[in-house]
Amino acid sequence: MIGKIGKFILNFIVAILLILSVLPFILMVLAAFQHTQTLDFKIRWDALTFDNFATLFQYHGFGSAMLLSASVVVIACVMNIIVCSLAAYGFTFKRFPGSEAMFWIYMATMMVPRQVTVIAMFVLFNKLGILGTTISLALPAIDAFGVFLVRQFMQGIPESLLEAAKIDGATDWMIFRKIILPLVKPVLTALTVFTFLATWNDFLWPLVSLGSDESQTVTLAISKLQGAFLTEYGLVMAGTTIAFSVPFIAYVLLQRQFVEGVAASGIKG
């Protein structure tokens, strides 16, 4: 009896938390389909319209913003996968004196807040002449976390497998491409999802590095929808709904591989 009461209370608390977590999304979608300057849960069925979404693309450059964000995300995901998988392979299977210390020093860079490195990145990219380009927006996605995640997964691969391949005459590049990459596909999918979310939702670095209003990412485009004296919340929520929908759909499509990759990295770490 006591166990049933405890289970009921637990389910009740979970249900309350679930409702509280979903309510902001319901409010966002409801406001996106209405012309409104206030935020509430009132549904004006006769006033539901797609005008906010049409206005975003016609007058606020949302199409070009989405295209730029999509380009940055694709480049960031590809570069992060290449760099992190190669670095993780080196740290896992090509050990040398001091490699372990080097790895943990590299991991210590994760303790540095992103905001601290913004000025240094701005100066560096400006001197290189790539500030404000798509490449400069994608490069910060490469960080130590990806290397750590992939290395944890690779540590579960037996070295005897690599030794057998070497005996058969395989080079390091053949081993990496034909043996390691197929085995680490789940964790690379998880890394892709992490990179996708971080790059798509990034606001600070595009705000600092993009100096022109003609070139903006989705997050910047949404921030400029807010007026100085009056805010059309329907318009803002329509932009937010689009910005939310893209990574949500990507996550749903890659959910199974993402969960497998994260779970396997944790178990083998």
Side-chain angles (χ1 to χ4, degrees):
M1 185 66 181
I2 294 177
K4 290 183 178 178
I5 294 175
K7 188 177 181 180
F8 173 77
I9 294 174
L10 179 63
N11 290 336
F12 179 75
I13 294 174
V14 171
I16 294 295
L17 293 175
L18 179 63
I19 292 172
L20 290 176
S21 63
V22 172
L23 275 178
F25 295 98
I26 296 175
L27 176 61
M28 176 183 71
V29 175
L30 289 178
F33 288 96
Q34 301 178 75
H35 291 293
T36 178
Q37 296 167 357
T38 59
L39 287 176
D40 54 46
F41 286 97
K42 293 180 181 177
I43 304 177
R44 305 170 187 85
W45 295 105
D46 56 335
L48 294 181
T49 175
F50 286 95
D51 287 353
N52 291 327
F53 295 94
T55 303
L56 286 175
F57 288 94
Q58 288 179 352
Y59 303 108
H60 295 278
F62 230 69
S64 60
M66 289 191 68
L67 187 61
L68 177 59
S69 288
S71 304
V72 173
V73 165
V74 170
I75 294 173
C77 289
V78 172
M79 288 196 306
N80 211 19
I81 287 174
I82 294 173
V83 173
C84 292
S85 58
L86 286 172
Y89 177 76
F91 280 123
T92 307
F93 300 112
K94 308 298 289 183
R95 298 189 186 92
F96 55 87
S99 62
E100 192 70 14
M102 183 183 294
F103 173 75
W104 288 110
I105 291 173
Y106 183 45
M107 289 300 104
T109 60
M110 287 195 295
M111 301 296 109
V112 180
R114 175 75 180 277
Q115 293 80 0
V116 175
T117 63
V118 167
I119 295 176
M121 285 196 302
F122 185 92
V123 174
L124 176 63
F125 291 167
N126 192 34
K127 287 186 178 297
L128 292 174
I130 61 172
L131 185 66
T133 63
T134 307
I135 293 293
S136 73
L137 294 173
L139 276 174
I142 302 172
D143 58 15
F145 170 74
V147 178
F148 174 76
L149 187 69
V150 180
R151 180 180 180 264
Q152 292 297 98
F153 194 94
M154 284 186 181
Q155 284 182 328
I157 300 174
E159 293 197 28
S160 58
L161 189 64
L162 279 70
E163 292 170 358
K166 288 179 181 177
I167 292 173
D168 290 338
T171 62
D172 280 328
W173 173 245
M174 292 173 63
I175 293 172
F176 174 76
R177 189 167 59 87
K178 295 186 176 181
I179 297 177
I180 300 299
L181 279 184
L183 290 175
V184 300
K185 195 180 294 182
V187 76
L188 293 183
T189 304
L191 180 61
T192 302
V193 173
F194 282 128
T195 308
F196 189 110
L197 295 177
T199 309
W200 181 269
N201 295 323
D202 191 16
F203 176 75
L204 178 61
W205 178 238
L207 177 66
V208 173
S209 60
L210 293 176
S212 171
D213 288 341
E214 297 177 357
S215 179
Q216 57 183 359
T217 59
V218 170
T219 51
L220 282 182
I222 293 173
S223 70
K224 292 175 182 175
L225 295 175
Q226 190 169 8
F229 304 101
L230 188 65
T231 299
E232 181 65 46
Y233 283 108
L235 204 59
V236 175
M237 290 303 162
T240 309
T241 301
I242 294 175
F244 162 77
S245 300
V246 174
F248 178 73
I249 292 172
Y251 174 76
V252 170
L253 294 176
L254 299 173
Q255 181 184 17
R256 186 173 60 82
Q257 295 91 337
F258 174 75
V259 173
E260 286 178 3
V262 173
S265 297
I267 292 170
K268 293 172 182 176

